[in-house]
């Protein structure tokens, strides 16, 4: 169920007109308080997104879509093991890419920041994330795992690229 009211946002950058081309501009498009869940064929929950909102201005000119906006998500629950909270990001759409930058949120009391993007021509995505001061006891507790630490803070950086699901992800990272 999608509902809500229109909100005024910055309009998309004007596009050059070409003779005979069609141009459509939506100065405001919004989705408010959406809920999304992904499950396996057996019904096991893989991902749950709660209270997601998005607002944008978009333009379609000569078959090419572009725009800019803002997205927020109150909670991303990854397989009931990893809980990202209070995510927010600017969203930029060009005919070639979608970019989320800067991305910010909370993970087990610490901060998560980064950028993400996807090429629309080949569906290649990149995600560059940094985690700072995440409480490891809270992280283990939220994951339903007995903590092996009595205290500590996680610092981490990671870079992921891929073109499909988890089996197609390539990444590097460092954790302290």
């Amino acid at each position: 169920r999608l509902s809500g009211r229109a909100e005024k946002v910055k309009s998309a950058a004007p596009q050059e007109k070409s003779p005979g081309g069609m141009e459509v501009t939506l100065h405001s498009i919004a989705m408010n308080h959406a809920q999304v869940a992904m499950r396996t064929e057996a019904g096991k929950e893989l991902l749950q997104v709660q209270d997601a909102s998005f607002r944008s201005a978009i333009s379609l000119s000569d078959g090419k879509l572009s725009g800019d906006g803002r997205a927020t998500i109150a909670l991303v629950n990854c397989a009931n093991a990893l809980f990202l909270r209070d995510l927010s990001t600017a969203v930029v759409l060009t005919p070639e890419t979608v970019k989320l930058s800067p991305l910010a949120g909370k993970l087990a009391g610490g901060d998560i920041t980064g950028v993400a993007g996807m090429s629309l021509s080949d569906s290649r995505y990149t995600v560059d994330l940094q985690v700072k001061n995440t409480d490891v006891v809270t992280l283990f507790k939220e994951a339903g795992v007995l903590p092996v630490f009595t205290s500590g803070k996680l610092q981490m950086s990671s870079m992921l690229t891929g073109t499909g699901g988890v089996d197609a992800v390539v990444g590097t990272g460092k954790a302290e």
Side-chain angles (χ1 to χ4, degrees):
R1 181 180 78 115
L2 297 177
S3 65
R5 60 182 174 78
E7 298 179 27
K8 184 171 175 119
V9 295
K10 186 175 86 173
S11 64
Q15 301 289 320
E16 288 186 26
K17 294 181 183 179
S18 65
M22 182 177 89
E23 185 172 322
V24 176
T25 299
L26 296 174
H27 294 284
S28 181
I29 185 169
M31 172 188 72
N32 295 306
H33 310 294
Q35 311 283 334
V36 178
M38 291 175 52
R39 302 184 195 295
T40 65
E41 288 183 18
K44 182 179 177 185
E45 192 167 276
L46 296 174
L47 181 76
Q48 184 183 68
V49 175
Q50 296 178 6
D51 198 12
S53 296
F54 174 75
R55 66 181 189 274
S56 179
I58 58 172
S59 291
L60 176 66
S61 181
D62 293 326
K64 295 181 180 179
L65 192 63
S66 62
D68 55 71
R70 185 126 197 101
T72 60
I73 300 173
L75 176 67
V76 177
N77 172 347
C78 303
N80 290 318
L82 186 66
F83 299 87
L84 305 170
R85 292 180 171 82
D86 302 324
L87 294 170
S88 66
T89 186
V91 179
V92 177
L93 173 66
T94 69
E96 297 82 29
T97 62
V98 176
K99 292 182 183 175
L100 307 176
S101 177
L103 178 74
K106 296 288 185 186
L107 174 64
D111 295 317
I112 184 165
T113 58
V115 298
M118 185 176 83
S119 166
L120 298 176
S121 63
D122 63 3
S123 299
R124 178 165 297 283
Y125 58 85
T126 60
V127 179
D128 183 4
L129 295 176
Q130 293 77 44
V131 172
K132 293 187 183 194
N133 299 320
T134 292
D135 184 77
V136 294
V137 174
T138 302
L139 191 63
F140 278 92
K141 186 185 225 181
E142 287 182 345
V145 177
L146 291 175
V148 293
F149 304 102
T150 57
S151 66
K153 300 288 183 182
L154 174 65
Q155 317 299 322
M156 184 181 84
S157 63
S158 65
M159 172 66 91
L160 305 172
T161 60
T163 56
V166 174
D167 57 338
V169 175
V170 176
T172 61
K174 177 179 144 182
E176 306 178 349

